[in-house]
Amino acid sequence: MSLDALRTDLAELGLLALGAFAPVAADEVPNLAPGTAPRSLVLVGNAGADMWRAYSAQAAGRSLDDWCRDGLAPLAEAHDAFPVFPWERPFRPFQRWLRRAGRTHASPIGIDIHPDYGLWWGLRGALAFAMPLDLDLPAAGDNPCETCAERPCLSACPVAAFGPDGYDVAACAAHLHAPAGADCMALACRARRACPIGRDYTQSPDQAAFHMRAFRAAHGT
Ligand code: B12
């Protein structure tokens, strides 16, 4: 299996190999087959405009999840891997997996932070392999949130949805349904936009509106 070939195939979908690690039982990575645990898990995701460009050109009416599955399932087969998807139930701990790969950190608002992409990245799948793999990526280094004195992400939300008790999904969704939420709907979550890390990777207004509409549609009227 060539990592270069894997990266090239992922790039055609505008996707990236964000990290990889050797799972142990506590990671709760599904088996490749009954009794056969994977030796490595590669986390696949997006940052910047590439995936949005590829999806916009190729979607042909498919949802983003369906388009990702249609692209990643045959790619996994071609590379002798087993695909796992973040929207499939039971939900798998994708954020924890990428932290395990040493590539991201927890942030104060629950969306994990990447040293380059900030809060502007997502996970689209994971590929489980029977063989050990090393993507040779740099470790995430120190968590930038720990030395961020102002923590603007915590004060930027107009309805204080990120508080000491975690994320108030209902308050966030109600705001997005109200006229005052037009700014978050058009340009993405204001708390996310307040973060100084990874600003080069912020979403274009059409991508931001797409994700925000999907979130709002799933949360009430
Ligand atoms: C359920 C879920 C949610 C729930 C969160 C419920 C909660 N407890 O707070 C809801 C629907 C509210 C949600 C919202 C969002 N989510 Co979400 N979510 C998931 C999902 C599908 C499953 C998480 C899970 O249960 N994992 C299994 C358990 C065992 O692992 P866990 O680590 O304990 O999981 C917890 C955290 O993931 C947390 N969580 C998940 N999303 C969010 C978002 C925020 C803001 C916070 C505070 C916590 C949180 O809730 C889980 C249960 O407690 C994951 C995909 C995945 N499979 O991981 C995406 C995921 C975690 N979400 C993601 C994102 C980006 C968001 C949004 C920011 C974007 C959006 N527009 O949808 C929004 C937040 C709204 C906003 N302000 O923009 C990304 C995170 C990427 C990153 N950079 O860290 C993921 C990985 C999806 C992806 N395809 O990349 N999400």
Side-chain angles (χ1 to χ4, degrees):
M1 216 276 306
S2 148
L3 284 176
D4 285 347
L6 177 66
R7 286 191 162 108
T8 302
D9 288 351
L10 290 173
E12 282 183 23
L13 299 167
L15 297 177
L16 299 160
L18 287 173
F21 68 100
V24 296
D27 294 312
E28 298 170 80
V29 176
N31 278 349
L32 297 166
T36 311
R39 304 275 305 279
S40 49
L41 190 75
V42 173
L43 282 313
V44 171
N46 63 289
D50 291 348
M51 180 200 71
W52 181 246
R53 215 176 282 130
Y55 172 65
S56 303
Q58 302 166 13
R62 284 171 293 174
S63 71
L64 181 58
D65 290 351
D66 285 348
W67 174 79
C68 284
R69 189 200 314 268
D70 291 349
L72 286 176
L75 183 153
E77 198 177 343
H79 291 274
D80 285 329
F82 177 80
V84 189
F85 295 105
W87 59 85
E88 280 174 347
R89 289 172 188 267
F91 291 142
R92 311 279 180 184
F94 271 74
Q95 288 178 307
R96 178 153 44 96
W97 285 347
L98 194 56
R99 288 202 293 270
R100 201 47 186 93
R103 299 283 292 151
T104 47
H105 296 285
S107 83
I109 60 169
I111 307 167
D112 284 357
I113 189 152
H114 183 283
D116 301 323
Y117 312 139
L119 303 174
W120 301 105
W121 58 274
L123 281 153
R124 304 296 154 197
L127 302 174
F129 290 86
M131 72 191 87
L133 287 174
D134 182 0
L135 294 177
D136 199 21
L137 292 165
D142 294 337
N143 184 346
C145 302
E146 278 168 15
T147 46
C148 177
E150 301 198 343
R151 301 203 152 192
C153 59
L154 284 177
S155 51
C157 175
V159 291
F162 304 101
D165 300 327
Y167 173 37
D168 186 342
V169 182
C172 173
H175 176 67
L176 298 179
H177 282 284
D183 170 66
C184 289
M185 285 301 297
L187 298 172
C189 166
R190 214 187 271 186
R192 242 174 147 180
R193 282 188 279 137
C195 175
I197 310 289
R199 289 227 163 116
D200 289 347
Y201 295 89
T202 49
Q203 295 163 348
S204 61
D206 56 338
Q207 182 179 4
F210 171 87
H211 290 300
M212 296 308 292
R213 276 197 306 269
F215 174 76
R216 186 177 66 176
H219 292 88
T221 51

